Amino acid sequence: MQANPAVRSVKQAMRILKDMNTQAEELAPIHDLGRQALKQVLEGHMQQRIEQYLGNVRLASGTDRRNGHYRRWLLTGMGAVELAVPRTRTYSAVGALGVYARRERSVDRLILAAFVLGLSTRKVGEALLVLLGERISATTVSRVAQQLDEAVAAFHRRPLANRYRVLLFDGVVLAARSGRGAVRRPVLVAMGITNDGKKEILDFRVARAESQAAWEAFLNDLFRRGLTGEGVALAVCDGGAGLLATLPLVYPQAKVQRCWAHKVRNVLDKVKLVDREAVKRGLNRIYNAADRSEARARSRAFVDRWGRRYPTAVRCLWMDIDELLNVFVFADETWRRAARTTNAIERRFREVRRRTRPMGVMANLDSVERILFAVFTHENHKQGVPNLVLVEKRVQGGAQGRPESQVCA
C-alpha cells in the first residue's frame, strides 16, 4: 500500500478518503488484531500494578482488597480499545495507562489538525475512520475542539510586554461561508517588531466593521494587557479613518507611519495604465531615498513632474507626505524596509486564505478563529518568539483518572 501524499487542502483530503474506502475494509482485520493485542498487554500491566500495590499494603500491615473493575475506552492509533481497569477499594490501576497517553494525544492532535484544515465535525469523523479503523463520535470531536478553543481564548487574554520598536496595525477582510450565506468580516490585527527585528502577531479580532469604535476596543484591550507603547518609535497603518482616529488616543507617543504599499496602490489607481510604471518608479525613488531631506526633495520633484497630468493622484500622495516620511526616523535601511508597509501582516493572511478558501459551510466563526490562531502562532514560532501551546495535563481524578486540559506558555 502506497503512503499517502501530504494533504494540503480539504478537497484533497476528501478525495484521498474516497480512494481509501476499500483500503479501510482491507485493514479492518489488522486493526482488530492490533487492538486485541494492545488490550491484553495493557490489562496485564494493570493487573501487575494491582498485585504490586496489594503486596506493598500487606508488607506495611495495611488493609485493602480487590474491588472488581470498571470499563474505560482508550483511543489509540489503531482505534478505540475497551479496557477492564482493575481496582481495589482505595486504588485504581489506571495509572499504568500513562505510558500510552501519547497515543491518545496523537489522536487528539489529528482531530485538531483536521479542524485547522477546515473539516466540519462530521467530516473529521469520516476522515479519521480510514486511519483509526472506526468512526470518532461527534461528542469526542467536540470535546477535543474545546481544547483548541481554550487555547484561542488564552491567546486573546495573555499579558503583553513593551518589547517592540514598531507596531503594525491592519484590517484585512476575510470571506467565509456560513449557514446564513456569505459572510465578509474584517479581521483587526496587531503585529509588533521586537528590538532584535523579530515579527510577532500580538493579537487579532474578528469585527463587524473597521470602525473607530472597533479599533478603540481592540487597542484598549492591548493597552490593558500591558502593551502601553513604551519604546515604540512608529505605529504603521493604512489610511483607514477609524484606525487613524484611534492611534493618537491609545498610543500618542508613537509617530504614525502610513503604509507605502497602500499608498502606492491608491496613487496608481488614479493614473493611466501607460504611465503607471513611470509613476511607480518615481514613488520608489522617494521611499528608497538615503534620508528624510532627500526623500522630501524627490517628492517635490514627483509633484512637479506629474502634478498637471494627474492632480488627483499627486494630491493623494502629498496630503500624507509627512506621515509617509516618518519611517526616516530610522537611519538603518533594514528597519526602514520593515516599517514602511504592513505587508508582513498581509503575507500571513495568504496562508489563512489558502486554508479558508476550500472550507464548506460553517456553523459560526469559531472555525475562522481557530485557523487564524493556528496560522499566526505557527508564524510566531517560525520567528522564534514565545508562543502559547496546548498541553494536556493528566491527573488521577478518582477511579476514572479523567484527563484535564491546560493551556500553558
Side-chain angles (χ1 to χ4, degrees), residues 145-191:
Q146 288 175 2
Q147 297 178 27
L148 190 55
D149 293 338
E150 290 166 9
V152 174
F155 182 80
H156 290 318
R157 293 192 305 264
R158 80 196 194 286
L160 301 170
N162 288 314
R163 57 192 191 92
Y164 307 99
R165 198 175 183 190
V166 177
L167 296 177
L168 296 85
F169 301 96
D170 202 1
V172 181
V173 176
L174 200 61
R177 294 184 293 277
S178 73
R180 300 190 303 270
V183 175
R184 293 176 62 83
R185 289 283 182 85
V187 181
L188 313 183
V189 182
M191 171 183 278

Side-chain angles (χ1 to χ4, degrees), residues 265-278:
R265 286 195 293 266
N266 291 340
V267 171
L268 294 181
D269 283 344
K270 301 169 179 60
V271 174
K272 291 180 180 178
L273 185 62
V274 67
D275 289 322
R276 284 185 182 174
E277 282 302 317

Side-chain angles (χ1 to χ4, degrees), residues 259-362:
C259 173
W260 268 100
H262 285 85
K263 181 58 68 175
V264 168
R265 286 195 293 266
N266 291 340
V267 171
L268 294 181
D269 283 344
K270 301 169 179 60
V271 174
K272 291 180 180 178
L273 185 62
V274 67
D275 289 322
R276 284 185 182 174
E277 282 302 317
V279 170
K280 186 176 181 179
R281 284 195 299 271
L283 295 172
N284 289 348
R285 283 175 51 80
I286 298 173
Y287 60 70
N288 283 321
D291 52 38
R292 187 185 184 97
S293 60
E294 182 179 309
R296 185 166 284 278
R298 290 182 177 182
S299 63
R300 284 195 293 267
F302 181 90
V303 171
D304 292 340
R305 178 176 181 183
W306 300 105
R308 288 189 177 182
R309 187 177 303 181
Y310 299 113
T312 305
V314 170
R315 192 180 310 115
C316 177
L317 172 72
W318 194 251
M319 65 186 295
D320 299 318
I321 193 63
D322 289 333
E323 292 181 339
L324 285 165
L325 299 185
N326 279 336
V327 72
F328 287 95
V329 69
F330 296 123
D332 190 330
E333 184 181 352
T334 301
W335 273 100
R336 290 204 298 266
R337 283 200 304 269
R340 70 187 176 211
T341 75
T342 59
N343 284 353
I345 294 177
E346 180 57 39
R347 281 194 292 270
R348 283 151 178 79
F349 266 90
R350 292 174 192 165
E351 178 64 16
V352 172
R353 290 191 178 96
R354 187 181 72 81
R355 291 176 178 272
T356 57
R357 191 175 295 116
M359 288 178 68
V361 174
M362 295 180 295

Side-chain angles (χ1 to χ4, degrees), residues 2-193:
Q2 285 186 325
N4 294 325
V7 178
R8 301 186 180 276
S9 68
V10 176
K11 182 178 180 181
Q12 182 184 4
M14 299 312 294
R15 183 172 65 249
I16 293 172
L17 171 65
K18 183 177 179 180
D19 293 341
M20 291 180 66
N21 277 340
T22 55
Q23 295 180 13
E25 295 178 1
E26 296 171 359
L27 290 175
I30 299 174
H31 283 156
D32 289 342
L33 290 172
R35 286 195 295 267
Q36 186 62 34
L38 184 59
K39 174 181 171 69
Q40 292 174 1
V41 170
L42 293 178
E43 289 181 346
H45 283 327
M46 288 188 287
Q47 289 292 349
Q48 290 176 10
R49 179 162 293 199
I50 285 288
E51 292 170 3
Q52 182 181 9
Y53 167 76
L54 289 175
N56 291 336
V57 168
R58 286 191 294 270
L59 288 174
S61 301
T63 58
D64 199 358
R65 60 183 176 81
R66 290 179 179 270
N67 189 30
H69 65 268
Y70 64 90
R71 295 289 175 180
R72 171 168 176 171
W73 286 91
L74 178 69
L75 194 56
T76 75
M78 290 179 290
V81 177
E82 186 180 18
L83 300 171
V85 180
R87 60 187 172 189
T88 71
R89 295 180 66 85
T90 61
Y91 175 79
S92 168
V94 72
L97 300 180
V99 177
Y100 299 90
R102 64 183 181 273
R103 294 181 178 272
E104 284 192 272
R105 289 197 291 273
S106 69
V107 175
D108 284 358
R109 285 195 294 269
L110 280 174
I111 295 175
L112 294 179
F115 270 118
V116 172
L117 187 63
L119 293 177
S120 66
T121 301
R122 177 180 58 81
K123 288 182 178 179
V124 168
E126 293 178 0
L128 297 187
L129 170 63
V130 176
L131 299 177
L132 304 180
E134 61 181 79
R135 191 180 302 276
I136 303 300
S137 71
T139 302
T140 299
V141 173
S142 297
R143 176 186 60 78
V144 175
Q146 288 175 2
Q147 297 178 27
L148 190 55
D149 293 338
E150 290 166 9
V152 174
F155 182 80
H156 290 318
R157 293 192 305 264
R158 80 196 194 286
L160 301 170
N162 288 314
R163 57 192 191 92
Y164 307 99
R165 198 175 183 190
V166 177
L167 296 177
L168 296 85
F169 301 96
D170 202 1
V172 181
V173 176
L174 200 61
R177 294 184 293 277
S178 73
R180 300 190 303 270
V183 175
R184 293 176 62 83
R185 289 283 182 85
V187 181
L188 313 183
V189 182
M191 171 183 278
I193 305 180

